[in-house]
Amino acid sequence: MKAIEIRNKYLNFFKNHGHVIIPSAPVIPENDPSVLFTTAGMQPLVPYLLGEKHPEGTRLTDYQKCVRTKDIDEVGDNRHLTYFEMLGNWSLGDYFKEESINMSFEFLTKELGIPAEKLSVTCFAGDEDCPKDQVSAEAWKKAGIAKDHIYYYGKEDNWWIAGEEGPCGPDTEMFYDTGKPACGPNCQPSCDCGKYVEIWNNVFMEYFKDKNGYTKLKQKNVDTGLGLERMAMLLQGKETPFDTELFAPVMKKLEEIQQVDYIESRRIVAEHLRSSMMIISDGGRPSNLDRGYVLRRLIRRMIRHMNKLQINLEELSILIDINVDNLKEMYPDLEKNKETIKSVILEEKDKFVKTLNNGEREFQKEMNKLTGTKMIPGKILFRLYDTYGFPPEVTKELAKENGYEVNLEEFEELFKKHQEKSRAGSEQKFKGGLAEQTQETISYHTATHLLNAALKQIIGKDAHQRGSNITADRMRFDFNCDHKLTDEEKKQVEDLVNKWIQEGLPVTKQEMKKEEAIKSGAECMFIEKYPDIVTVYSIGNVSKELCGGPHVNNTKELGRFKIKKEESSSSGVRRIKAVLIK
Ligand code: SER
């Protein structure tokens, strides 16, 4: 079964069980400054898991585009991916364990046709924070899982939380038995010999964790996640995701054009190419900071491995074409954004080729100087990085090829020191969700606050911000609203913002306790996401918002505000695109 069929079956199955299909959020989170990329389907839904009402109701399902880069160096083996798709279904205070388990069992056995004997499941063993999950185990037994296919594990295996704090709970995980021989008498799902492969995780989110410990959430939620690439691989009886139709065309092309044969390098090129394309398609651009740096690393590592395969880098353009053709049915945006994707990747390639030549020469010089040690010190890694733009991962790979090791820890320390210097600026930027901190983006940022305030006066006080995205050329702003704005409303909003701009209102900044800020009527999107002491920006007395900044000093600096487009973003959410004309 092809990946797209699995996806469609999944969404339809849950739709038939009363779920509303919601669109995938972008891989670059719009409203969440706490993470670089969307790493799980639940991430865009956090406010709703915490109790806010979702406009589509209490049963949701989607496919979510995800990027996880923690294991980037592992890509090239037979299973790690930086980009993957997660299928998910959610109960926001609706059904709980038994119904969730019944639906999972039915989907796996009836829709995907997996025999129940090939499934094993794991449940939470219980500890001082939360009792043993016998309810789930019973539900599995009733559904049709044999008793000796049910395992109990502790928090390390059967508890799910994104990061250190947030909504969380015990989970039950489903494993597929590949039929490979057991690695020993103790072989079981928790072991990573490859016999058992985890396919789905249902989290029963009824707790919230913060630094003081666990408390109960207002509602009992279910959050599930099923990795699409992995499921496709298993159902197709393939050994790796690279053998499925998702990667096959690019892998085949790489085999044709390579001069030397390295399977790991082919996988790295295919994986990083798809991942970079998805990130760029959702607005990511290479840079030396945060998510831009992750993208840069992906592209540069891909190019290094194209070099290793001795593939002419001019072939990149064809590889992109092949991927767009192959994936456009699943991700129509790839086709829409194809030219941008190409120009971003090719430009980054050109930059890196220069870097590589200079850096490799410098690397050789440094190698020749090293005597009596096979360990390259951190300060050399840092110099190659800082002066020649040579990513430490690349130095590490080069070093390995030459029989050397690198002192990454020392590099990290130097890198941290370097980062601390530029931290103030960078953190501010990150909090504000801005891609680049230029005069233009800062102006747009202030304009979003004015627009937010104007919408509340013209459309109604419930027109809350749902997201925003800023580039140097325009702003995009999503807000709650149950109707298409009339021309009259758009004009009123525009006029009000321009009036405030002309009035030359001062923009002021104040630090205060979070509760005080909220009491004083300051706007904010996700209160839970802010630290105890927050920054509040006020514009005259027309706007007050929790925000990391930065902003212009006076609204006079903004120019003329013009709405270019007003459209639906999702159900109950409208999107305005606007520009500032200076
Ligand atoms: N949030 C859980 C996970 O990522 C289930 O979706 O595994």
Side-chain angles (χ1 to χ4, degrees), residues 40 42 68 86 160 201 203 223-225:
M42 54 74 76
R68 289 186 187 176
M86 187 184 274
W160 203 88
N201 181 14
V203 187
D223 153 44
T224 93

Side-chain angles (χ1 to χ4, degrees), residues 162-198:
E164 297 295 316
E165 293 188 8
C168 57
D171 64 26
T172 181
E173 299 183 2
M174 288 144 263
F175 288 78
Y176 179 89
D177 182 348
T178 56
K180 289 182 187 158
C183 61
N186 278 329
C187 186
Q188 45 178 295
S190 62
C191 127
D192 57 11
C193 69
K195 178 174 175 58
Y196 297 97
V197 181
E198 186 199 329

Side-chain angles (χ1 to χ4, degrees), residues 165 210-212 431 510-518 527-536 546:
E165 293 188 8
D210 61 19
K211 49 187 175 311
N212 301 320
K431 280 194 198 125
Q510 228 184 326
E511 284 203 341
M512 56 174 95
K513 282 212 181 108
K514 182 157 83 173
E515 301 88 84
E516 274 172 32
I518 299 304
I527 188 65
E528 317 76 24
K529 297 246 169 75
Y530 288 88
D532 293 340
I533 302 291
V534 295
T535 319
V536 174
L546 263 72

Side-chain angles (χ1 to χ4, degrees), residues 229-244:
E229 288 76 1
R230 199 179 274 184
M231 186 57 95
M233 167 186 103
L234 293 169
L235 292 181
Q236 293 171 22
K238 306 283 194 206
E239 277 290 306
T240 81
F242 300 100
D243 303 311
T244 66

Side-chain angles (χ1 to χ4, degrees), residues 335-358:
E335 189 165 40
K336 239 178 32 211
N337 300 326
K338 180 163 145 179
E339 290 317 313
T340 309
I341 293 172
K342 250 190 203 176
S343 64
V344 172
I345 293 184
L346 296 184
E347 205 175 292
E348 184 63 17
K349 172 205 71 160
D350 290 340
K351 274 194 198 146
F352 188 47
V353 168
K354 274 197 213 131
T355 302
L356 262 183
N357 294 341
N358 295 340

